[in-house]
Amino acid sequence: MIELLDPDLQMVVLAALNSPNGVQLTIANAKGGVMKTTFAVYAALMLALTGEQVLLVDADDTNRTCLKWNRLAGEAWPKNVMVVGWADDALRTRIENARANHRHIIVDVGPSDTTLIKQAWLATGHGVVPTQQYPGDVVQLPTTFQLLRELTEPVKLQVLLSRAFPARKSFTNAVNHISGQGYPLLKGHVPHLEYIAEEWGALPAEFTHFAEVVAEILGVPRHEIERRMKQAA
């Protein structure tokens, strides 16, 4: 079955299958409107291609966007991706207990409850912080990384430029600013494309840009990502 997937998805699936403890990832930013939920849903749906059990945790009690997406997708939604709404003080315990039945866990946390963000980070040990390239977004990253410094356990965070316009000067400025502040920045990015927004509530027709980023998160060497992307072009 893996051989039938596009090369970019093959990278993600093989990397996930070979992850000793599965993929455990929190998507969070103390600022909203940065493509958190979209990235979380795409990641969960890609992991579903492993054939293993995936848990998508909607920890945004205000919007419940993952749950809404799941309902709108209806019968098309993969049977091995369970979506739950957990946004309470027991979030970390719930996630840790869920590992008995789900090999891969993706958590989408809303921006307003910083306690939930920290709980999700501690439960998964790894987080992605999506941000747009504009100054008003980038300058708010310290608020999120301050939460990381308040933890007593190690958590790996990586910044993702989302809804990106890489040809614009603001993209280069954002890369330089984020790197200059010492925040770990993913080399891959998700561009601003109309079709991504239009696929809300449905199963995506393609995963290309998201797969490149998830492959990088899972540790696929950059030269392999670039080689596969050229093959697929």
Side-chain angles (χ1 to χ4, degrees), residues 56-59 64 67 83-88 94:
L56 175 57
V57 180
D58 189 329
R64 292 299 194 200
L67 288 166
V83 186
V84 295
W86 294 342
D88 54 42
R94 288 175 182 267

Side-chain angles (χ1 to χ4, degrees), residues 122-192:
L122 290 168
T124 61
H126 193 170
V128 172
V129 184
T131 183
Q132 295 188 84
Q133 66 199 54
Y134 305 109
D137 295 273
V138 174
V139 297
Q140 296 195 57
L141 284 173
T143 302
T144 299
F145 277 83
Q146 175 57 40
L147 301 176
L148 181 66
R149 288 189 284 272
E150 295 171 6
L151 302 180
T152 57
E153 300 174 36
V155 173
K156 179 180 180 180
L157 287 193
Q158 294 171 291
V159 178
L160 166 67
L161 282 169
S162 60
R163 294 200 181 103
F165 293 92
R168 295 183 181 176
K169 185 178 180 181
S170 57
F171 182 88
T172 302
N173 290 342
V175 169
N176 291 338
H177 180 82
I178 293 167
S179 301
Q181 293 297 310
Y183 301 141
L185 177 64
L186 290 162
K187 293 181 180 179
H189 62 272
V190 177
H192 184 90

